[in-house]
C-alpha cells in the first residue's frame, strides 16, 4: 500500500483568553489514505439492442421484439423481471454526407437494459444468453460490494491512522513534541477503483463463452489533518 503526504509547517498566532498572552503555534499538515481490496459480490450489467431502419416504426418494432426475446431468455436462466430494468432508451435520426449535402439515412433505436445479479459467477452466462437472443451492444459491467458503505468507513479509519502515524514520524524527525489531537480533519474524495471487464461495444453471436473476471475492487478514502507541535 502506497501513501503520500504533504508536510507544510507554518505559523499561526492565537490569543489565550486566560492570560491574554500571545504564543506561536506550529501547524503540521499531513494527508492520510486508507485502502481496502475486497471481493465484489454484485454485478450490474448494461446491455441491449440497437436497430436501424428508414422507417421509425419499423426500427421500434424490431427493437421491441429483440428486447422481448432477450428478457424471455434471461428469465429462462433465472433472472427475474425485478432484476431487469431499462437503463437507457434513445432514438436518433441518421444522416450521410455526400458532396457536402446531408442525406437522411433512417433512424437508430437503442434500448439498454440494466441487469443486477448477486451471483457474479453467472455474469458470463448472462452476457452470452443475451447476445445469443438478440442483444448486440453492451455498455459495460460494473462490479461492487453490497456493504460498500461499511467498507468505506473501515477505509476511512485507516486513513485517519495513517495521517497520525505520518505526523508522529515527521515530529520525531524534527525532534518536536506533537499534540496528538488534531486541530482539524477534512475528508477527501477518492473514488472506487475496479477492473473493467468489457468496454462499450457492439457484439456478434459467437459460440465462444465470454470469460468474465471480477477480480477485486479497491475502496479508498483520503483525509487531510492538521496537528499542532511545539519545539
Amino acid at each position: 500500500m502506497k501513501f503520500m503526504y504533504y508536510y507544510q509547517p507554518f505559523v499561526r498566532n492565537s490569543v489565550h483568553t486566560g492570560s491574554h498572552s500571545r504564543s506561536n503555534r506550529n501547524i503540521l499538515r499531513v494527508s492520510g489514505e486508507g485502502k481496502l481490496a475486497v471481493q465484489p459480490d454484485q454485478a450490474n450489467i448494461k446491455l441491449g439492442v440497437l436497430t436501424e431502419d428508414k422507417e421509425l416504426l419499423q426500427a421500434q418494432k424490431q427493437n421491441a421484439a429483440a428486447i422481448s426475446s432477450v428478457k424471455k431468455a434471461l428469465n429462462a436462466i433465472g433472472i427475474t423481471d425485478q432484476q431487469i430494468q431499462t437503463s437507457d432508451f434513445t432514438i436518433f435520426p441518421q444522416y450521410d454526407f455526400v458532396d457536402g449535402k446531408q442525406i437522411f439515412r433512417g433512424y437508430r433505436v437503442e434500448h439498454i437494459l440494466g441487469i443486477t445479479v448477486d451471483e457474479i459467477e453467472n455474469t458470463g452466462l448472462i452476457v452470452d444468453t443475451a447476445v445469443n437472443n438478440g442483444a448486440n451492444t453492451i455498455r459495460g459491467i460494473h462490479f461492487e460490494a453490497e456493504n460498500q458503505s461499511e467498507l468505506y468507513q473501515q477505509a476511512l479509519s485507516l486513513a485517519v491512522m495513517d495521517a497520525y502515524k505520518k505526523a508522529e514520524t515527521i515530529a520525531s524527525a524534527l525532534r518536536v513534541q506533537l499534540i496528538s489531537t488534531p486541530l482539524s480533519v477534512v475528508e477527501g474524495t477518492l473514488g472506487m477503483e475496479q477492473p473493467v471487464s468489457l468496454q462499450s461495444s457492439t457484439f456478434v453471436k459467437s459460440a465462444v463463452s465470454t470469460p468474465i473476471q471480477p477480480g477485486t475492487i479497491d475502496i479508498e478514502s483520503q483525509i487531510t489533518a492538521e496537528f499542532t507541535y511545539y519545539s
Side-chain angles (χ1 to χ4, degrees):
M1 185 184 301
K2 294 183 177 179
F3 298 104
M4 295 189 301
Y5 67 81
Y6 301 93
Y7 164 49
Q8 187 179 355
F10 59 93
V11 175
R12 286 180 178 169
N13 291 326
S14 62
V15 178
H16 296 276
T17 56
S19 61
H20 297 284
S21 63
R22 235 175 239 282
S23 65
N24 291 330
R25 291 193 302 174
N26 296 307
I27 308 300
L28 179 66
R29 180 184 296 138
V30 294
S31 69
E33 294 182 11
K35 181 176 178 179
L36 292 173
V38 299
Q39 291 286 338
D41 54 16
Q42 214 171 57
N44 185 271
I45 309 160
K46 289 190 177 180
L47 52 78
V49 176
L50 186 154
T51 53
E52 292 186 359
D53 198 279
K54 288 185 177 181
E55 299 294 330
L56 177 58
L57 184 59
Q58 288 301 315
Q60 288 179 297
K61 284 183 176 180
Q62 294 169 19
N63 196 286
I67 283 293
S68 177
S69 176
V70 169
K71 290 179 66 177
K72 286 179 180 178
L74 292 176
N75 289 155
I77 62 171
I79 305 301
T80 66
D81 288 339
Q82 288 73 28
Q83 294 173 270
I84 307 171
Q85 66 177 149
T86 294
S87 172
D88 195 15
F89 182 85
T90 55
I91 297 175
F92 293 104
Q94 303 292 294
Y95 296 92
D96 290 327
F97 290 87
V98 180
D99 296 329
K101 294 182 180 180
Q102 183 175 279
I103 300 175
F104 178 71
R105 190 178 74 208
Y107 292 94
R108 183 180 73 181
V109 178
E110 188 175 30
H111 190 162
I112 301 297
L113 300 175
I115 306 159
T116 303
V117 291
D118 293 329
E119 300 81 10
I120 60 176
E121 64 274 10
N122 292 333
T123 303
L125 172 63
I126 292 168
V127 172
D128 290 340
T129 299
V131 170
N132 290 331
N133 287 274
N136 59 6
T137 186
I138 186 165
R139 291 282 181 85
I141 299 175
H142 178 79
F143 294 107
E144 58 186 24
E146 188 176 4
N147 59 337
Q148 187 174 319
S149 177
E150 179 183 337
L151 292 169
Y152 176 76
Q153 299 301 320
Q154 295 179 30
L156 194 59
S157 295
L158 293 175
V160 173
M161 290 187 289
D162 178 55
Y164 179 67
K165 288 178 181 178
K166 290 173 181 174
E168 276 191 317
T169 299
I170 295 171
S172 176
L174 294 174
R175 299 183 184 278
V176 295
Q177 181 181 355
L178 181 74
I179 306 303
S180 60
T181 302
L183 289 175
S184 67
V185 176
V186 179
E187 181 184 5
T189 54
L190 279 179
M192 182 183 69
E193 298 179 359
Q194 64 171 28
V196 179
S197 299
L198 292 170
Q199 298 293 332
S200 179
S201 58
T202 300
F203 277 70
V204 294
K205 292 182 180 180
S206 171
V208 180
S209 177
T210 302
I212 304 297
Q213 301 295 331
T216 59
I217 54 177
D218 292 334
I219 297 178
E220 297 181 284
S221 65
Q222 185 181 66
I223 62 107
T224 300
E226 290 186 346
F227 293 86
T228 301
Y229 70 89
Y230 295 95
S231 4

